[in-house]
Amino acid sequence: IVLSTRPAIVGETIYTPTWDGRVYALEVREKTERIPIGSEGEVVEISRRWFSKAWEQNLSESVLAPMDARSGFLYVGTDGGILAALPQIGPRASRKRGSYRLDLGGRLRSQFCMREDHIYVGSSNYSLYNVHRYTGDKIWEFHSGREVLRRPLADEEAGVVFVISEDVGLNA
């Protein structure tokens, strides 16, 4: 497995994105063995840990943006501009309420900003998007003038989202 960005870790499960467009859920397994040594009946405990693949999902595009796992979903951005909400329990539950795939049209490389019911995500198509976290509905789009490469910062109380665009600077 060649990782394309940092994994997301929830409890004993590690979600790993790959360059070939797959997301794997790897569960940590552990087994403790008691091994007798010597003739005196002495026992040594040895713990072994390994990963077991729980599931995989093929998104058909490299996952470039760092993933975020919240409220039972894994939020993923791809090289082709797809924002996806995948159930953490696996692709068989892809019809679970809250699952979606939204095409935003440009590479999603920056980390998302998640606040309450909103995901703020920047794109290579010079736009910042506000997407409803649970439905996948696009609430608004802001054209920043250049590619958005950094994580947006939202102050919902003040009603402002800050975004840094390549070679343009700070937009609010």
Side-chain angles (χ1 to χ4, degrees):
I1 296 175
V2 179
L3 301 182
S4 56
T5 187
R6 69 173 171 78
I9 301 171
V10 178
E12 295 291 316
T13 305
I14 299 172
Y15 300 95
T16 60
T18 65
W19 282 107
D20 68 356
R22 296 179 191 279
V23 175
Y24 293 93
L26 304 174
E27 295 178 342
V28 178
R29 303 285 187 203
E30 182 174 8
K31 182 178 181 180
T32 301
E33 296 181 43
R34 296 174 52 90
I35 301 174
I37 58 171
S39 59
E40 302 291 319
E42 295 177 59
V43 176
V44 173
E45 285 191 1
I46 298 177
S47 292
R48 294 185 309 140
R49 289 185 179 178
W50 68 94
F51 295 106
S52 173
K53 182 172 75 171
W55 57 262
E56 74 178 82
Q57 173 85 40
N58 187 355
L59 297 173
S60 302
E61 300 172 351
S62 294
V63 176
L64 298 179
M67 299 183 302
D68 201 325
R70 297 184 190 203
S71 305
F73 287 91
L74 186 64
Y75 297 92
V76 179
T78 71
D79 188 38
I82 301 294
L83 174 64
L86 308 173
Q88 290 177 11
I89 58 175
R92 289 188 194 97
S94 63
R95 293 190 177 161
K96 181 178 176 183
R97 187 171 164 234
S99 298
Y100 56 83
R101 289 172 62 111
L102 176 64
D103 189 350
L104 296 175
R107 289 182 175 169
L108 305 180
R109 294 194 279 181
S110 66
Q111 187 173 1
F112 314 136
C113 174
M114 298 180 80
R115 296 285 186 266
E116 308 242 347
D117 295 347
H118 303 272
I119 300 175
Y120 301 96
V121 58
S123 174
S124 67
N125 67 359
Y126 304 175
S127 293
L128 172 71
Y129 296 93
N130 177 359
V131 175
H132 193 279
R133 186 170 131 198
Y134 300 110
T135 64
D137 294 334
K138 186 169 38 170
I139 298 169
W140 53 254
E141 175 180 349
F142 170 75
H143 188 74
S144 67
R146 295 291 288 183
E147 184 171 1
V148 179
L149 297 174
R150 302 278 184 251
R151 178 180 185 248
L153 177 62
D155 183 345
E156 289 186 336
E157 199 171 289
V160 177
V161 179
F162 298 93
V163 62
I164 297 175
S165 297
E166 180 183 34
D167 299 330
V168 173
L170 181 67
N171 291 291

